[in-house]
Amino acid sequence: MKNKIIVTGGASFIGSEFVRQIIKRGFKIIVIDKLTYAGDLARLGEVKGKIEFYKADISCASAIGKIFKKEKPKQIVHFAAESHVDRSILSSDEFIRTNIQGTQVLLDAAKLSGIEKFVHISTDEVYGDIEEGQFCETTPLKPSSPYSASKAAADLLVGSYVRTFKFPAVIVRPSNNYGQWQYPEKFIPVIIYKALKGQRIPVYGKGLNVREWLHVSDCAGAIGEILKKGKIGEIYNVGSGNERKNIDVARAIIDFLGKPHSLIEFVQDRPGHDLRYSLNFSKIKKEIGWQAEYNFDCGIKDTIGWYKDNFNWLEKKAEYLRGYWKKVYV
Ligand code: NAD
Ligand code: TDX
């Protein structure tokens, strides 16, 4: 019998890439996704008819309990979340409900059904920011935004289940992802969209904040390896070493598209804006034998190509974002 796996948030940017990759390993995949503004079944078009899909809210214990009872999965990879920092600053309600309560509901459902492995997708943002040096898996958590605080709370909850119930969980902390199908509220697709349209490109503050960019295919590949080889109770950072200042990312994309740098507009900074993230990912390299393959320039070039080829999708999402953009870019 095929290995049955539940993927929460399978219609997300990273979750859908994970599904596209893992299906090739012969898994029977069950996706649970609420299809919020950020979820989109179009991302799963390639695997349509080959997976089971449940539209459900992970914070609803009865709905989740029923799915687990019916499907009896062996493993679960938990991506579902409210994922955008700026939205968590506008309102944190959904972040608490989905990221904390939703994780608790899944932990209890998985515990009851005797799951073999629970891979919890966290983020590098739980560590806060760092001016110099790098975050290790043992660095204390010091989240800055309501988003990262909700993710940190979920990590602590997962850790408590490991210790108290010997629950078979593994935590994954990836750095900033980019690539195909990313919702254009995030920085890289914002730049691509605005540049393609010849519109002003909003860069927060002076654009000096640094992010470590990881291609979504590399991230999903790392999670697949962790699912296979990750040790129960362990935490794995997933980074790329591709650190860039925001302003340099904006300029690189503008240059690729042959547009003028004058499109860049410095706007009001994000409150509590983390200055720099940088992950030490020697643990996953040493213990799992994984490392990122994408070179940032090639990854960006591919990503721009993808958005050009899928411009209708991008434009449709941007239409929906217009009201939101009025609230965040001041
Ligand atoms: P996304 O914003 O693209 O999608 C989130 C998904 O979760 C959507 O499909 C949405 O419908 C679903 N969802 C939201 N609330 C739900 C609920 N209550 N019940 C069921 N489904 C729900 O997400 P993403 O950017 O692909 O991120 C996936 C995961 O990876 C998240 O846990 C995020 O915190 C983490 N992460 C993301 C990044 C990044 O750069 N995007 C980096 C590190 C970690
Ligand atoms: O319009 C913008 N202008 C701008 O200057 C946007 C949307 C962002 N920025 C800056 C803020 C950050 O310094 O660009 C950087 C990247 O911003 P986001 O794409 O919003 O990502 P970030 O806040 O770094 O968080 C991301 O990485 C970690 C994901 O959204 C999280 O889900 C993940 O956990």
Side-chain angles (χ1 to χ4, degrees):
M1 205 178 77
K2 278 186 176 178
N3 205 351
K4 243 190 193 187
I5 182 167
I6 281 186
V7 181
T8 73
S12 68
F13 161 52
I14 307 176
S16 64
E17 174 64 16
F18 175 76
V19 169
R20 286 190 295 274
Q21 289 190 13
I22 207 82
I23 202 158
K24 294 182 189 139
R25 269 168 49 186
F27 280 80
K28 163 103 176 60
I29 298 169
I30 297 123
V31 167
I32 301 179
D33 199 296
K34 186 181 173 183
L35 297 180
T36 66
Y37 77 94
D40 192 341
L41 283 177
R43 295 188 177 110
L44 292 172
E46 208 178 297
V47 296
K48 200 174 168 195
K50 297 180 188 152
I51 60 166
E52 203 70 51
F53 177 77
Y54 289 91
K55 185 173 188 298
D57 186 331
I58 55 162
S59 65
C60 177
S62 60
I64 296 303
K66 272 186 208 147
I67 299 171
F68 272 73
K69 212 164 159 194
K70 178 159 178 256
E71 298 291 352
K72 300 183 180 56
K74 275 198 182 153
Q75 293 161 321
I76 170 161
V77 182
H78 172 34
F79 291 93
E82 285 295 332
S83 72
H84 193 38
V85 172
D86 292 325
R87 285 184 192 267
S88 80
I89 294 168
L90 291 173
S91 165
S92 59
D93 284 2
E94 286 302 318
F95 290 75
I96 306 306
R97 211 175 352 263
T98 292
N99 300 0
I100 306 177
Q101 199 184 320
T103 300
Q104 179 250 324
V105 164
L106 288 169
L107 288 169
D108 282 341
K111 181 156 78 72
L112 192 70
S113 79
I115 205 108
E116 287 172 12
K117 201 169 202 174
F118 185 106
V119 179
H120 174 69
I121 309 303
S122 176
T123 168
D124 59 356
E125 296 198 17
V126 295
Y127 299 118
D129 56 1
I130 189 164
E131 222 166 308
E132 278 172 28
Q134 294 186 315
F135 297 123
C136 297
E137 286 83 353
T138 49
T139 303
L141 306 190
K142 197 169 175 284
S144 310
S145 69
Y147 161 70
S148 51
S150 70
K151 294 292 287 187
D155 283 22
L156 294 177
L157 207 52
V158 172
S160 78
Y161 273 58
V162 170
R163 172 148 177 178
T164 306
F165 307 114
K166 298 196 168 35
F167 184 77
V170 180
I171 295 177
V172 186
R173 296 192 177 136
S175 61
N176 279 63
N177 275 229
Y178 72 101
Q180 66 274 11
W181 292 112
Q182 186 167 30
Y183 191 73
E185 64 188 348
K186 306 283 165 59
F187 191 43
I188 286 184
V190 164
I191 305 169
I192 297 172
Y193 176 73
K194 303 274 184 185
L196 284 171
K197 296 287 280 187
Q199 294 174 4
R200 68 181 190 127
I201 297 164
V203 173
Y204 297 158
K206 295 194 166 88
L208 299 178
N209 304 66
V210 173
R211 295 294 182 265
E212 179 173 349
W213 293 102
L214 173 69
H215 194 277
V216 65
S217 303
D218 277 335
C219 183
I223 295 166
E225 288 305 291
I226 290 167
L227 177 67
K228 212 176 355 179
K229 304 182 204 156
K231 286 203 203 97
I232 301 301
E234 293 294 322
I235 299 170
Y236 297 93
N237 284 346
V238 181
S240 66
N242 291 314
E243 285 184 41
R244 295 282 187 288
K245 285 194 189 93
N246 291 340
I247 186 67
D248 294 336
V249 173
R251 286 188 185 129
I253 294 172
I254 290 171
D255 289 344
F256 269 128
L257 289 170
K259 302 282 178 175
H261 285 194
S262 56
L263 285 180
I264 292 174
E265 183 172 354
F266 294 104
V267 297
Q268 190 173 301
D269 209 354
R270 171 187 281 174
H273 198 172
D274 279 333
L275 181 64
R276 172 175 172 262
Y277 304 136
S278 182
L279 287 179
N280 179 315
F281 51 94
S282 56
K283 180 172 173 179
I284 186 173
K285 214 164 145 185
K286 214 165 93 194
E287 293 183 12
I288 307 231
W290 175 90
Q291 78 180 62
E293 285 175 6
Y294 265 86
N295 152 291
F296 186 66
D297 289 344
C298 294
I300 281 290
K301 217 169 164 179
D302 285 2
T303 304
I304 293 172
W306 186 88
Y307 279 104
K308 278 182 160 175
D309 292 346
N310 293 274
F311 192 73
N312 286 345
W313 182 83
L314 180 60
E315 185 77 281
K316 230 168 62 199
K317 301 294 176 191
E319 282 294 328
Y320 177 81
L321 281 165
R322 274 186 226 303
Y324 163 79
W325 277 337
K326 278 197 190 121
K327 283 190 239 169
V328 281
Y329 301 140
V330 286

